[in-house]
Structure formats: structure tokens, C-alpha cells
Amino acid sequence: MFANTNEDKNNILKNIDCFALDMDGTIYLDDHWIDGAKDFLKKIEASGRKYIFLTNNSSKNPKNYVDKLHKMGLDVDLDKIVTSGQATVYYLQQNYPGKKVFLLGNDLLKEEFEEGGILLDDKTPDMVVTAFDTSLNYEKMCKVCDFVRAGLPYIATHPDYNCPTKTGFIPDAGAIHAFINASAFRNPDRIIGKPNTDIIKYLLSRLHTSADKVIMVGDRLYTDIAAGKNNGLYSMLVLSGETKLEDVESSEVKPHLIFDSVKEVIPLL
């Protein structure tokens, strides 16, 4: 059974030091704050705790998120942003040093990879990395399928099928995996982002804390909530994005807490 909505009967929040916050569908939709989200962030800091944004969206780099939040009226430092792109760079540095990478991703992500010392090569790569590429075209689709079909190691930044917007959903990285699989008959060998362990290891190394002091807050069961449940974090589902309450009832993944949105959390902080 899952917890009643908008309640914290077990006083989980009292023992939390850091809120790891999904962004799209949790804090904002497109360029619009979800009602009460800014007050929620202020209340976290006023209570002596901290928050960090943890997003699977690899179509943007941390500076892009800082700029976006600034335009929306919130000033944060780069150290408050953790992306699946950053976690993927870290994973490649640790496990594939010096390898040439074909990156299916936006220019912003390519810059981030290059700044992290990752060698990019779209002619004779040693491996393939796929991300949420909003600049995708047919030439890129053919190239990535060729390299995956050839058997190169195949890493993906995150698994999300759709990205929420204020008008609905747009295809995300998981949809890209699906078309690659339809042509090349392979799924990624490893996926770095939520709900998987690699991004949580990277997050905890940045926070210098233990998993039981962190709560993962997000709008998706199969990424955000599963990331918490699978890796020793507490988890809070908000119903302001992709997941509806009836989805929880039929899911094997159950959050510790459920709130209609982050606005309803404020009185409990």
C-alpha cells in the first residue's frame, strides 16, 4: 500500500538533509513555474536544509539550466545542478578513458563532453552514447543505427520515453532507444540516468552525504521514484507531471510519499 496523498505520517521529512529535485514536471513545465514551487525552495533553505536539481534531461547542460532558472527569477549556482549528461561524462572518464565517442546529442551536450575531456568522433568512434537529441535528423538516425548495428559499446544518458511540456509530451531519449532497437536490434548496454545506480552514485559524491538523508522528488515512477527506491533514498511522488494517482495503484514501484505538487509539501517542512 502507498501513503495517503499530502501526508507524512511517518515523519520522513524531519530526517531529510537534502531534497534531490527532478525539474520537468516537478518544479516547472517549460518556462512556467508549477504553482508554489519557488516558495517550496525557499522553505527548504529556511528550514536549514538544501536542495539540488537532479534531471535526466541531457538536452541541456548545467549552465543552460542556471540561465533558464535565472530568467524564471531564481538564481542558483552550478553546484545545484546535476544532469544525466554530467553523470555520463563521469562514467566515461572512469570506465572508458581515451575512447572516441559518437555522441547523439545537442551541441550543448557536446560542449559538456569536450570540456570533460571526452573525445568526440562521428567517423570512426570506439563507442556510442545517445542522449535526448532535439536536433535529431535522418542523417543522425542512420549513423547511430550503423554504429550500434556494428556492435560498438552503446551507452545512454537516461531512459525517459517522453519529456513533459505545458502542451503535452514530446519524445525523449527512450523513444530514441526504441527507433534504434527497431533498426539495429539492440538496446543500450548501460543507461546512466535515473533510476539507475550510476547517476545516484554521482549525486551522492557531489552531496558528500549518505543515501538515507536524501529524498528523491519527482513526477515519474519509473525514473524518479525507482531511483530512490532502488538506491536507498527516500522517494516522493508529485502528481504535477507525468504520473497520475491511478498509475501508482497498478505499479510495482511505490513511493514513500505522494503529494499533489510540491506546494502541498510546504506546511510539513
Side-chain angles (χ1 to χ4, degrees):
M1 293 295 291
F2 55 87
N4 292 329
T5 306
N6 300 331
E7 294 182 356
D8 180 19
K9 290 184 175 180
N10 294 321
N11 293 318
I12 290 172
L13 296 175
K14 291 186 182 301
N15 298 311
I16 296 300
D17 290 337
C18 182
F19 292 75
L21 306 172
D22 179 55
M23 302 179 82
D24 298 310
T26 300
I27 298 298
Y28 57 66
L29 288 172
D30 287 342
D31 297 323
H32 301 275
W33 288 102
I34 287 173
D35 185 36
K38 286 183 74 174
D39 291 333
F40 169 68
L41 299 177
K42 290 177 184 176
K43 188 64 181 291
I44 290 174
E45 293 189 320
S47 70
R49 289 169 284 190
K50 59 186 176 180
Y51 64 84
I52 193 166
F53 294 112
L54 179 66
T55 177
N56 267 359
N57 190 339
S58 56
S59 69
K60 302 178 178 69
N61 64 20
K63 184 179 184 304
N64 187 271
Y65 279 112
V66 168
D67 292 343
K68 176 186 173 102
L69 290 167
H70 173 72
K71 291 175 183 177
M72 293 173 64
L74 180 71
D75 289 322
V76 298
D77 296 328
L78 286 170
D79 62 5
K80 271 198 170 4
I81 311 290
V82 173
T83 71
S84 67
Q86 286 179 304
T88 301
V89 168
Y90 180 76
Y91 178 80
L92 294 175
Q93 290 168 338
Q94 300 299 310
N95 295 278
Y96 292 93
K99 296 297 184 182
K100 296 181 295 182
V101 173
F102 174 81
L103 175 62
L104 189 76
N106 290 354
D107 287 343
L108 287 172
L109 186 63
K110 290 179 180 178
E111 291 174 12
E112 187 171 9
F113 270 53
E114 289 173 336
E115 289 171 2
I118 306 302
L119 302 174
L120 300 184
D121 187 333
D122 62 358
K123 299 285 195 297
T124 58
D126 300 311
M127 60 185 303
V128 175
V129 175
T130 60
F132 178 17
D133 188 357
T134 58
S135 63
L136 190 63
N137 57 35
Y138 195 68
E139 180 183 0
K140 286 186 177 184
M141 291 170 69
C142 291
K143 271 191 174 183
V144 71
C145 287
D146 284 344
F147 291 136
V148 170
R149 196 180 296 112
L152 296 184
Y154 172 22
I155 308 297
T157 58
H158 64 290
D160 306 45
Y161 293 110
N162 291 299
C163 180
T165 72
K166 65 178 184 296
T167 57
F169 298 96
I170 56 175
D172 204 322
I176 292 173
H177 305 163
F179 88 65
I180 293 172
N181 183 60
S183 176
F185 307 107
R186 282 181 65 196
N187 287 312
D189 301 324
R190 194 175 190 98
I191 300 176
I192 303 301
K194 299 174 289 185
N196 300 299
T197 299
D198 292 306
I199 195 170
I200 300 302
K201 283 183 177 178
Y202 178 67
L203 170 71
L204 294 176
S205 73
R206 289 267 301 265
L207 291 175
H208 305 292
T209 191
S210 58
D212 62 340
K213 295 295 185 181
V214 180
I215 188 164
M216 182 68 232
V217 183
D219 68 304
R220 296 180 181 181
L221 291 165
Y222 69 95
T223 55
D224 303 315
I225 304 310
K229 299 285 282 188
N230 294 348
N231 295 286
L233 282 64
Y234 286 102
S235 61
M236 178 194 298
L237 176 70
V238 288
L239 304 174
S240 51
E242 181 176 311
T243 303
K244 307 306 177 190
L245 193 58
E246 54 267 28
D247 298 327
V248 184
E249 296 171 355
S250 60
S251 173
E252 293 182 3
V253 179
K254 306 294 187 187
H256 293 94
L257 300 171
I258 304 175
F259 286 83
D260 289 327
S261 75
V262 293
K263 181 180 182 179
E264 280 71 39
V265 185
I266 295 173
L268 301 178
L269 295 177

